[in-house]
Amino acid sequence: MSQFLYAIKDLKGSCYDRVFSCSHDSDAIRLFDQLVFSPGSPYRDYGEDFVLALLGSFDPSSGSVISLPIKQLTTVMERQVFFEALQRIRQAKVDAAVCDHESSEVSDVQK
């Protein structure tokens, strides 16, 4: 099964780093998230400088590497905005559940 090749591009340094392979873009984005959001990550501290790019494909059985037109998949800044929005949604759900629970307790007491 073919793998796709990805790398993190440093926009200020104009170079690619951390070439890795994954089966799908979503797997690469998940790995990118882990690299970006790990404590002390330089990607996290300088988020505006880094993007995740698709570079090509790789056939592990033959060793063939096929170059594809480079495609930017996401940026650190986009992922930070996504995670902040996700945290707000999760917190809103928690707040709603607490509110519902408190309302039901008040309702039970009034009966």
Side-chain angles (χ1 to χ4, degrees):
M1 169 158 118
S2 284
Q3 296 276 304
F4 292 97
L5 297 174
Y6 303 88
I8 297 173
K9 182 175 185 184
D10 180 341
L11 298 173
K12 287 212 174 145
S14 296
C15 62
Y16 291 87
D17 187 22
R18 294 261 186 164
V19 176
F20 59 93
S21 66
C22 288
S23 299
H24 302 283
D25 289 352
S26 58
D27 295 334
I29 291 170
R30 184 180 309 120
L31 182 56
F32 181 66
D33 289 343
Q34 291 171 353
L35 292 169
V36 165
F37 297 111
S38 63
S41 167
Y43 306 117
R44 183 180 195 160
D45 295 338
Y46 302 98
E48 66 278 1
D49 296 345
F50 299 101
V51 300
L52 175 64
L54 170 65
L55 304 178
S57 66
F58 170 70
D59 184 341
S61 61
S62 69
S64 299
V65 174
I66 300 169
S67 180
L68 297 172
I70 295 172
K71 176 182 169 189
Q72 179 178 311
L73 296 180
T74 191
T75 68
V76 172
M77 300 303 284
E78 289 171 348
R79 300 310 294 164
Q80 286 174 332
V81 167
F82 170 78
F83 279 107
E84 288 167 5
L86 188 60
Q87 286 177 331
R88 285 193 300 273
I89 290 168
R90 287 178 177 158
Q91 187 59 50
K93 287 181 178 181
V94 168
D95 293 346
V98 167
C99 185
D100 288 346
H101 179 71
E102 289 172 351
S103 293
S104 68
E105 285 180 349
V106 168
S107 191
D108 290 343
V109 169
Q110 289 176 349
K111 290 181 183 179

